[in-house]
Amino acid sequence: MTRRILLALPAVALLVTGACSPADAPATRATPAAMMPTPAPPVVVHVQVSEEAGPEAAAWAEELRTAVKEGHGDLSLASTPEEGVVVVRIDSVETGVEADPEPEGEGETTMMRFALVLGEAHREFSLAYKGDARPQAEALARNLRSLAAKADLPEPEDEADEADTEG
């Protein structure tokens, strides 16, 4: 009889363990992935060079386009200004200028002047640096979303709406 009890003991243990185990998770239970916030969509950016700017500005624009394409920042590249939510207009790039404060690094100081444009509104910026443009373009791409948010660009006025209300 004792032997029967010893043989039945593992079966009883399995039954008890099964009865005490939690039920399967319901299908509506949140998973860690479902609890994660949805990332913001990429900001659509168009990079253009001012008509008065020279070949250095065109080279800088290409560096910024490359940085956007490589995924620096949460951006996507627009082929036309109309497609872009924000337009980065590079106005000039000058090397051998003085800057206050003097940027860190070795070599000549380069000053890149640009504007963030939204419709007719724009805000101008300048970036002084030493060395290659590539790391600067990558940093600008990474920070472009917050820079555009801090630019506090006013809403563009819609002249078409004004014309509709007059007559």
Side-chain angles (χ1 to χ4, degrees), residues 79-146:
S79 56
T80 66
E82 295 77 26
E83 294 172 8
V85 172
V86 176
V87 174
V88 178
R89 184 188 70 219
I90 299 178
D91 295 323
S92 68
V93 176
E94 300 173 68
T95 303
V97 298
E98 291 185 27
D100 186 27
E102 186 74 20
E104 295 181 15
E106 295 189 26
E108 291 185 301
T109 299
T110 300
M111 180 74 71
M112 192 270 290
R113 297 183 195 284
F114 68 101
L116 294 181
V117 182
L118 175 63
E120 296 296 318
H122 70 280
R123 177 144 182 222
E124 296 178 355
F125 296 88
S126 61
L127 172 64
Y129 65 95
K130 291 184 178 183
D132 293 333
R134 165 81 39 120
Q136 302 301 322
E138 291 171 355
L140 178 57
R142 281 191 304 272
N143 295 307
L144 193 60
R145 181 185 290 267
S146 64

Side-chain angles (χ1 to χ4, degrees), residues 1-142:
M1 180 128 152
T2 310
R3 187 174 172 147
R4 276 188 183 169
I5 294 174
L6 288 176
L7 289 174
L9 194 57
V12 171
L14 282 174
L15 287 173
V16 170
T17 303
C20 294
S21 297
D24 288 340
T28 59
R29 187 175 209 174
T31 62
M35 294 175 10
M36 298 295 293
T38 304
V43 174
V44 181
V45 177
H46 177 71
V47 179
Q48 70 181 32
V49 178
S50 214
E51 291 178 13
E52 307 83 39
E56 296 87 4
W60 223 102
E62 194 54 42
E63 291 290 353
L64 183 55
R65 287 183 193 107
T66 299
V68 170
K69 288 177 190 174
E70 289 178 351
H72 296 278
D74 192 14
L75 312 170
S76 65
L77 199 58
S79 56
T80 66
E82 295 77 26
E83 294 172 8
V85 172
V86 176
V87 174
V88 178
R89 184 188 70 219
I90 299 178
D91 295 323
S92 68
V93 176
E94 300 173 68
T95 303
V97 298
E98 291 185 27
D100 186 27
E102 186 74 20
E104 295 181 15
E106 295 189 26
E108 291 185 301
T109 299
T110 300
M111 180 74 71
M112 192 270 290
R113 297 183 195 284
F114 68 101
L116 294 181
V117 182
L118 175 63
E120 296 296 318
H122 70 280
R123 177 144 182 222
E124 296 178 355
F125 296 88
S126 61
L127 172 64
Y129 65 95
K130 291 184 178 183
D132 293 333
R134 165 81 39 120
Q136 302 301 322
E138 291 171 355
L140 178 57
R142 281 191 304 272

